[in-house]
Amino acid sequence: MFRTLRPDAVLVQAVIAGALSFAHLHDLAAAAGQDGWKAWAYPVSVDLLLVAAWRRMRTDTGNRDAWLWFAIALIASLGANVATAGLLDMSDVPDWLRILVAGWPALAFLGGTLLAHASHPTPEPVPEHETAVDLVVERTPEPAPELLPAEPAAVEIPPEPAEQEEQPEPAPSAPAVPVPPALLAHAQKIADAHRARTGAPIDAETLRTRHGMPAALADSIALQLA
């Protein structure tokens, strides 16, 4: 497959401007006494210095030397264009212009050497962040007792018979809360550990405080464990 060639207007304009500037520099060098291949070497030297300074400006915008040599090469190119536009008698070039044309090779060599060996800006090293080591202490949770869906029958504790008729009848106890067998077995282990540690049976307040049980459930478990 062949691609359709579409000339870029900017590229065409750059080629035309470069050719005209190249010809003007050649004519000025030839008028200043540089004949033969030397006259063709002058525009090449000016354009190469211009391109080298422009590339250095793109990579290092804060480099003042690049801006200086770009301005020198640009002035040399513009000066040749203006001088060959009829403002200068090409048959009788002044002596100061001959001196500038003769001294240009040394000046261009100095500028090209400085631009080629200029130090490139090195980016500042990014400090590496120390990897924080998170110490995670895994605590094996106690297996939660499985609650059975079926609710067992409530355990009713009969009131103690009154010894004497003069004693007031005890207040009726609160209705017992149904306790699943698995939860009751788990509470029995807790009560045994409490008795082994303290020597006393566990009470409802301790169950409620340590294990976050509701008061009614803690009372019912304490009654069944007593």
Short mmCIF file of all heavy atoms in Angstrom, two decimals, residues 35-63:
data_model
loop_
_atom_site.label_atom_id
_atom_site.label_comp_id
_atom_site.label_asym_id
_atom_site.label_seq_id
_atom_site.Cartn_x
_atom_site.Cartn_y
_atom_site.Cartn_z
N ASP A 35 36.20 32.06 -1.57
CA ASP A 35 35.75 31.49 -2.83
C ASP A 35 35.79 29.97 -2.77
O ASP A 35 36.33 29.37 -1.84
CB ASP A 35 36.63 32.00 -3.98
CG ASP A 35 38.11 31.74 -3.72
OD1 ASP A 35 38.45 31.31 -2.58
OD2 ASP A 35 38.93 31.95 -4.62
N GLY A 36 35.18 29.35 -3.76
CA GLY A 36 35.20 27.90 -3.87
C GLY A 36 34.37 27.22 -2.78
O GLY A 36 33.28 27.68 -2.40
N TRP A 37 34.88 26.09 -2.30
CA TRP A 37 34.14 25.32 -1.29
C TRP A 37 34.00 26.05 0.02
O TRP A 37 33.09 25.76 0.81
CB TRP A 37 34.84 23.98 -1.06
CG TRP A 37 36.21 24.11 -0.43
CD1 TRP A 37 37.39 24.25 -1.07
CD2 TRP A 37 36.49 24.14 0.97
NE1 TRP A 37 38.43 24.36 -0.20
CE2 TRP A 37 37.89 24.29 1.09
CE3 TRP A 37 35.72 24.05 2.12
CZ2 TRP A 37 38.55 24.36 2.31
CZ3 TRP A 37 36.37 24.13 3.34
CH2 TRP A 37 37.76 24.28 3.44
N LYS A 38 34.91 27.01 0.30
CA LYS A 38 34.85 27.75 1.56
C LYS A 38 33.58 28.60 1.64
O LYS A 38 33.00 28.75 2.72
CB LYS A 38 36.09 28.63 1.69
CG LYS A 38 37.39 27.84 1.85
CD LYS A 38 38.58 28.76 1.99
CE LYS A 38 38.90 29.47 0.68
NZ LYS A 38 40.13 30.29 0.78
N ALA A 39 33.16 29.14 0.53
CA ALA A 39 31.93 29.94 0.53
C ALA A 39 30.72 29.07 0.86
O ALA A 39 29.76 29.54 1.50
CB ALA A 39 31.75 30.63 -0.82
N TRP A 40 30.72 27.78 0.44
CA TRP A 40 29.61 26.88 0.74
C TRP A 40 29.69 26.37 2.19
O TRP A 40 28.67 25.96 2.76
CB TRP A 40 29.61 25.69 -0.21
CG TRP A 40 29.27 26.07 -1.61
CD1 TRP A 40 30.14 26.16 -2.67
CD2 TRP A 40 28.00 26.44 -2.11
NE1 TRP A 40 29.49 26.56 -3.80
CE2 TRP A 40 28.15 26.74 -3.48
CE3 TRP A 40 26.72 26.57 -1.55
CZ2 TRP A 40 27.11 27.14 -4.31
CZ3 TRP A 40 25.68 26.97 -2.37
CH2 TRP A 40 25.86 27.24 -3.73
N ALA A 41 30.86 26.37 2.78
CA ALA A 41 31.00 25.88 4.16
C ALA A 41 30.44 26.87 5.17
O ALA A 41 30.01 26.46 6.27
CB ALA A 41 32.46 25.57 4.47
N TYR A 42 30.42 28.16 4.83
CA TYR A 42 29.94 29.16 5.80
C TYR A 42 28.45 28.98 6.13
O TYR A 42 28.07 28.98 7.31
CB TYR A 42 30.21 30.57 5.26
CG TYR A 42 31.59 31.06 5.63
CD1 TYR A 42 32.68 30.80 4.80
CD2 TYR A 42 31.81 31.77 6.80
CE1 TYR A 42 33.94 31.23 5.13
CE2 TYR A 42 33.08 32.21 7.14
CZ TYR A 42 34.15 31.94 6.30
OH TYR A 42 35.42 32.38 6.64
N PRO A 43 27.56 28.87 5.17
CA PRO A 43 26.14 28.67 5.55
C PRO A 43 25.90 27.37 6.31
O PRO A 43 25.03 27.32 7.18
CB PRO A 43 25.41 28.67 4.20
CG PRO A 43 26.45 28.40 3.18
CD PRO A 43 27.72 28.98 3.71
N VAL A 44 26.68 26.31 5.97
CA VAL A 44 26.53 25.07 6.71
C VAL A 44 26.92 25.28 8.17
O VAL A 44 26.25 24.81 9.10
CB VAL A 44 27.39 23.95 6.07
CG1 VAL A 44 27.35 22.68 6.91
CG2 VAL A 44 26.91 23.67 4.66
N SER A 45 28.01 26.03 8.39
CA SER A 45 28.48 26.28 9.76
C SER A 45 27.45 27.10 10.55
O SER A 45 27.17 26.79 11.73
CB SER A 45 29.82 27.02 9.71
OG SER A 45 30.23 27.39 11.01
N VAL A 46 26.87 28.11 9.93
CA VAL A 46 25.89 28.95 10.63
C VAL A 46 24.63 28.15 10.96
O VAL A 46 24.11 28.20 12.09
CB VAL A 46 25.55 30.18 9.77
CG1 VAL A 46 24.40 30.98 10.40
CG2 VAL A 46 26.77 31.08 9.62
N ASP A 47 24.14 27.38 9.99
CA ASP A 47 22.91 26.62 10.23
C ASP A 47 23.12 25.52 11.26
O ASP A 47 22.23 25.25 12.09
CB ASP A 47 22.42 26.02 8.92
CG ASP A 47 21.91 27.09 7.96
OD1 ASP A 47 21.62 28.21 8.44
OD2 ASP A 47 21.79 26.80 6.75
N LEU A 48 24.27 24.85 11.24
CA LEU A 48 24.54 23.82 12.24
C LEU A 48 24.62 24.40 13.64
O LEU A 48 24.13 23.80 14.61
CB LEU A 48 25.84 23.07 11.89
CG LEU A 48 25.76 22.10 10.70
CD1 LEU A 48 27.11 21.45 10.49
CD2 LEU A 48 24.69 21.05 10.92
N LEU A 49 25.25 25.57 13.78
CA LEU A 49 25.31 26.20 15.10
C LEU A 49 23.93 26.62 15.57
O LEU A 49 23.59 26.50 16.75
CB LEU A 49 26.25 27.42 15.04
CG LEU A 49 26.45 28.16 16.37
CD1 LEU A 49 27.08 27.24 17.41
CD2 LEU A 49 27.32 29.41 16.16
N LEU A 50 23.09 27.05 14.62
CA LEU A 50 21.73 27.45 14.98
C LEU A 50 20.92 26.24 15.45
O LEU A 50 20.20 26.31 16.47
CB LEU A 50 21.06 28.09 13.76
CG LEU A 50 19.75 28.85 14.00
CD1 LEU A 50 19.99 30.06 14.86
CD2 LEU A 50 19.15 29.27 12.66
N VAL A 51 21.05 25.13 14.74
CA VAL A 51 20.32 23.92 15.13
C VAL A 51 20.82 23.37 16.46
O VAL A 51 20.04 22.94 17.33
CB VAL A 51 20.42 22.86 14.02
CG1 VAL A 51 19.82 21.53 14.48
CG2 VAL A 51 19.70 23.35 12.76
N ALA A 52 22.15 23.36 16.67
CA ALA A 52 22.71 22.85 17.92
C ALA A 52 22.26 23.68 19.11
O ALA A 52 21.91 23.14 20.17
CB ALA A 52 24.24 22.82 17.83
N ALA A 53 22.26 25.00 18.97
CA ALA A 53 21.80 25.85 20.07
C ALA A 53 20.31 25.67 20.33
O ALA A 53 19.87 25.67 21.49
CB ALA A 53 22.10 27.31 19.73
N TRP A 54 19.53 25.48 19.28
CA TRP A 54 18.08 25.28 19.46
C TRP A 54 17.78 23.97 20.18
O TRP A 54 16.91 23.91 21.05
CB TRP A 54 17.41 25.31 18.08
CG TRP A 54 15.95 25.00 18.13
CD1 TRP A 54 14.95 25.81 18.55
CD2 TRP A 54 15.33 23.76 17.75
NE1 TRP A 54 13.74 25.16 18.46
CE2 TRP A 54 13.93 23.91 17.97
CE3 TRP A 54 15.80 22.56 17.23
CZ2 TRP A 54 13.03 22.89 17.69
CZ3 TRP A 54 14.89 21.55 16.96
CH2 TRP A 54 13.53 21.72 17.19
N ARG A 55 18.52 22.90 19.84
CA ARG A 55 18.31 21.63 20.52
C ARG A 55 18.72 21.71 21.99
O ARG A 55 18.07 21.13 22.86
CB ARG A 55 19.12 20.53 19.82
CG ARG A 55 18.61 20.20 18.43
CD ARG A 55 19.35 19.01 17.86
NE ARG A 55 19.13 17.82 18.69
CZ ARG A 55 19.67 16.63 18.45
NH1 ARG A 55 20.48 16.49 17.40
NH2 ARG A 55 19.44 15.61 19.24
N ARG A 56 19.80 22.44 22.26
CA ARG A 56 20.21 22.60 23.66
C ARG A 56 19.18 23.41 24.44
O ARG A 56 18.93 23.13 25.62
CB ARG A 56 21.57 23.28 23.71
CG ARG A 56 22.09 23.55 25.12
CD ARG A 56 22.33 22.26 25.85
NE ARG A 56 23.34 21.45 25.19
CZ ARG A 56 23.75 20.27 25.60
NH1 ARG A 56 23.18 19.73 26.67
NH2 ARG A 56 24.68 19.60 24.95
N MET A 57 18.55 24.38 23.81
CA MET A 57 17.52 25.17 24.47
C MET A 57 16.30 24.32 24.80
O MET A 57 15.65 24.53 25.83
CB MET A 57 17.11 26.34 23.56
CG MET A 57 18.16 27.44 23.46
SD MET A 57 17.82 28.56 22.08
CE MET A 57 16.16 29.05 22.44
N ARG A 58 15.98 23.36 23.95
CA ARG A 58 14.81 22.51 24.21
C ARG A 58 15.06 21.55 25.37
O ARG A 58 14.15 21.28 26.16
CB ARG A 58 14.46 21.71 22.96
CG ARG A 58 13.93 22.56 21.82
CD ARG A 58 13.27 21.70 20.77
NE ARG A 58 12.12 20.99 21.32
CZ ARG A 58 11.39 20.12 20.65
NH1 ARG A 58 11.69 19.83 19.39
NH2 ARG A 58 10.35 19.52 21.20
N THR A 59 16.27 21.02 25.48
CA THR A 59 16.57 20.08 26.56
C THR A 59 16.87 20.78 27.87
O THR A 59 16.62 20.23 28.94
CB THR A 59 17.77 19.19 26.17
OG1 THR A 59 18.90 20.03 25.84
CG2 THR A 59 17.42 18.33 24.96
N ASP A 60 17.41 21.99 27.79
CA ASP A 60 17.77 22.74 29.00
C ASP A 60 17.37 24.19 28.80
O ASP A 60 18.14 25.01 28.28
CB ASP A 60 19.27 22.61 29.29
CG ASP A 60 19.65 23.24 30.62
OD1 ASP A 60 18.73 23.65 31.37
OD2 ASP A 60 20.86 23.32 30.93
N THR A 61 16.14 24.52 29.19
CA THR A 61 15.62 25.88 28.95
C THR A 61 16.34 26.93 29.77
O THR A 61 16.34 28.11 29.41
CB THR A 61 14.12 25.93 29.28
OG1 THR A 61 13.92 25.48 30.65
CG2 THR A 61 13.33 25.02 28.35
N GLY A 62 16.97 26.55 30.87
CA GLY A 62 17.66 27.54 31.70
C GLY A 62 19.11 27.73 31.33
O GLY A 62 19.83 28.46 32.03
N ASN A 63 19.59 27.12 30.24
CA ASN A 63 20.99 27.25 29.83
C ASN A 63 21.16 28.58 29.09
O ASN A 63 20.69 28.75 27.96
CB ASN A 63 21.38 26.06 28.93
CG ASN A 63 22.87 25.97 28.73
OD1 ASN A 63 23.59 26.96 28.88
ND2 ASN A 63 23.34 24.77 28.40
#
